[in-house]
Amino acid sequence: MLTNCLFHLETFSPSCYDRGRKRGAVFGAPFKQRLKGYMLEKGKGIMENKRRVFLIVLDSVGIGEMPDSADYGDAGSNTLAACARSGKLNIPNLRQLGIFNIEGVGCGTPVEAPAGAVARLAEASKGKDTTIGHWEISGVISPKPLPTYPDGFPQELLEEFSRRTGRGVLCNQPYSGTQLLVDYGKEHVETGKLIVYTSADSVFQIAAHEDVVPVPELYRYCEIARELLTGEHGVGRVIARPFVGVWPDFTRTANRHDYSLQPPAPTVLDAIQAAGLDCIGVGKINDIFAGRGITQFVRTKSNADGMEKTFSYAQKDFSGLCFVNLVDFDMVYGHRNNVPGYTNALNEFDVQLGELMPLLREEDLLIITADHGCDPSTPSTDHSREHVPMVAWGKGIRAGANLGTRDTYAHIAATVAEYLGVQAQIQGESFLSEIWEG
């Protein structure tokens, strides 16, 4: 590899140069002069690529049912419309970018001259959970749903889990995360048994009081569960759900941690990293992708904190992707059927969106989307299978471009790859030429 790097500059990459230096290679003046000439010739190459993409996932902000939503128990779901019906939705920045101009959005008043480009995206994967949704956004379509456990996890699996952790198990059924603490929290504190539960999604969740099971110990138990949950029991995520307080007023803390399956195929994140560009994860992005393709990451405490972290990256020099997940929409409001709270969270995001846009540079592309729905106005507390929005903006945007309805979230990944100039073996087709003039 080092020989290739030194004498075949047509296959040269910055990572190759870095690896050579780490191995003690000495790069003399002739090589450095050739390298300089190579990079000047490749003026749009990786080391001079100033393009950045800010991809923000508004977790669970769906925009209306899909043709097969009824098969998932989600006929009529529309998360954004549920908030609009409250009469309190106030998102002038998203509105000006064109979110209410999206085909079939079913709520709000469109603007005559949108400042952004928009589309409605259908989910091609079989499912409606965070993991599959983000994989599809990154260019991997899942033809089979991940396993779910409406009747609880197999007893033999829980027995092995208990053997390895040394603790018993409570619950073992689908449950509301907040009601769970009321019904099982007291017994957990008294016995030390772990509260294991699931939902309609492909998740194995472990709830424990931080004074009974210290957070690092809970994380270790999740790692044990992740090792066990493979193959036919390969759930999308194992989730640590720590809480504090005194019964019946227990509350979850911000120390949640997700342990995801590795994506089953290369994603656009892998391609960006391989190209020597930055791939930054904000929020639970690093957890969702099990760290794969991520060059640096930061966890967040809330939507507002996630946006503050995004402001910080917008003011730094990097080239590549800043991939942001804002989870409060889903975790704090959607699953709790809190329409006023969900609506207010959208309003607060819109204010911070107005603060982010002036920070973006000439060659920055902003894409706002979602990974599924979670209609807070329906009886269900689970995710809903919905279309999601695609709202794009930047100095080179084709303002007013409306792409109608497209058949997969994966088109976002292909568009990101083309914009950053990286080769990616992923699904989806780029719509960059339809939204970008720069």
Side-chain angles (χ1 to χ4, degrees):
M1 177 63 73
L2 190 56
T3 301
N4 240 12
C5 183
L6 290 172
F7 299 108
H8 299 280
L9 279 176
E10 66 273 12
T11 62
F12 175 83
S13 73
S15 59
C16 182
Y17 180 51
D18 289 340
R19 286 196 300 272
R21 288 194 301 173
K22 288 177 181 177
R23 293 175 184 174
V26 177
F27 295 90
F31 172 78
K32 291 179 179 178
Q33 186 61 38
R34 290 170 67 197
L35 170 59
K36 180 179 179 181
Y38 172 79
M39 293 313 301
L40 287 174
E41 178 184 349
K42 304 288 185 179
K44 295 183 180 179
I46 292 169
M47 295 181 73
E48 294 189 4
N49 186 351
K50 296 180 180 179
R51 288 190 163 188
R52 308 188 302 178
V53 175
F54 289 83
L55 175 54
I56 300 178
V57 177
L58 308 183
D59 201 305
S60 84
V61 182
I63 57 169
E65 65 179 338
M66 288 177 44
D68 63 355
S69 290
D71 297 339
Y72 293 79
D74 299 320
S77 291
N78 189 325
T79 302
L80 184 62
C83 295
R85 287 195 300 269
S86 74
K88 302 293 185 181
L89 186 64
N90 183 26
I91 49 173
N93 290 307
L94 281 169
R95 178 173 180 264
Q96 189 56 50
L97 290 178
I99 195 166
F100 295 130
N101 292 69
I102 294 175
E103 180 177 276
V105 71
C107 62
T109 304
V111 293
E112 290 188 9
V118 300
R120 182 173 73 160
L121 303 180
E123 185 166 18
S125 298
K126 299 300 182 183
K128 55 175 181 177
D129 62 79
T130 294
T131 302
I132 279 181
H134 280 76
W135 285 354
E136 186 164 332
I137 291 169
S138 71
V140 177
I141 295 172
S142 304
K144 294 182 179 179
L146 296 172
T148 56
Y149 295 86
D151 300 317
F153 297 98
Q155 192 59 37
E156 61 272 19
L157 180 67
L158 294 183
E159 288 175 357
E160 179 63 15
F161 177 68
S162 291
R163 188 188 70 80
R164 294 197 191 186
T165 61
R167 292 181 181 268
V169 167
L170 299 173
C171 188
N172 187 31
Q173 57 184 305
Y175 229 92
S176 161
T178 51
Q179 187 61 40
L180 178 96
L181 303 185
V182 176
D183 295 348
Y184 291 95
K186 186 177 181 180
E187 185 178 356
H188 158 73
V189 171
E190 292 172 349
T191 66
K193 293 180 180 180
L194 301 171
I195 309 173
V196 172
Y197 67 110
T198 187
S199 71
D201 298 322
S202 183
V203 292
F204 183 101
Q205 304 184 88
I206 310 172
H209 196 291
E210 292 188 358
D211 291 341
V212 177
V213 180
V215 171
E217 188 175 351
L218 177 59
Y219 289 170
R220 184 172 67 83
Y221 295 158
C222 288
E223 290 169 0
I224 290 171
R226 183 70 278 174
E227 291 174 3
L228 292 171
L229 293 161
T230 58
E232 66 173 320
H233 297 307
V235 297
R237 288 174 294 158
V238 174
I239 306 176
R241 294 284 198 178
F243 62 93
V244 295
V246 178
W247 186 88
D249 299 318
F250 293 126
T251 56
R252 289 175 170 175
T253 73
N255 292 320
R256 165 185 170 154
H257 190 39
D258 293 27
Y259 297 80
S260 294
L261 281 179
Q262 289 270 349
T267 71
V268 71
L269 282 65
D270 296 315
I272 291 169
Q273 182 185 48
L277 300 178
D278 299 298
C279 191
I280 300 163
V282 177
K284 64 179 185 178
I285 294 297
N286 186 68
D287 292 344
I288 291 170
F289 289 92
R292 212 176 81 188
I294 305 294
T295 60
Q296 60 178 288
F297 69 93
V298 60
R299 294 195 171 94
T300 58
K301 298 179 179 179
S302 63
N303 280 358
D305 183 46
M307 287 301 290
E308 290 290 340
K309 297 290 197 305
T310 305
F311 297 161
S312 178
Y313 280 116
Q315 296 174 80
K316 294 178 180 178
D317 291 328
F318 74 89
S319 298
L321 173 66
C322 181
F323 197 171
V324 182
N325 174 279
L326 302 179
V327 72
D328 285 0
F329 300 111
D330 182 61
M331 183 177 72
V332 179
Y333 306 111
H335 286 300
R336 300 180 187 181
N337 286 353
N338 185 344
V339 174
Y342 205 125
T343 303
N344 187 61
L346 282 169
N347 295 346
E348 290 178 347
F349 167 74
D350 195 82
V351 171
Q352 290 190 293
L353 174 60
E355 297 171 19
L356 173 65
M357 292 170 68
L359 300 178
L360 300 185
R361 302 175 183 176
E362 191 71 27
E363 293 188 340
D364 289 349
L365 171 60
L366 170 67
I367 298 177
I368 300 167
T369 190
D371 53 341
H372 50 72
C374 194
D375 190 330
S377 69
T378 65
S380 170
T381 59
D382 293 315
H383 294 159
S384 45
R385 185 164 170 87
E386 299 183 40
H387 292 98
V388 301
M390 191 294 297
V391 178
W393 181 82
K395 303 296 174 62
I397 206 73
R398 292 183 184 274
N402 193 324
L403 310 188
T405 299
R406 299 296 168 97
D407 60 358
T408 174
Y409 306 171
H411 299 319
I412 290 177
T415 301
V416 169
E418 182 181 359
Y419 189 74
L420 294 177
V422 302
Q423 297 295 318
Q425 300 299 314
I426 55 176
Q427 295 171 286
E429 297 179 4
S430 173
F431 49 69
L432 183 65
S433 64
E434 299 176 74
I435 66 167
W436 194 258
E437 293 180 327

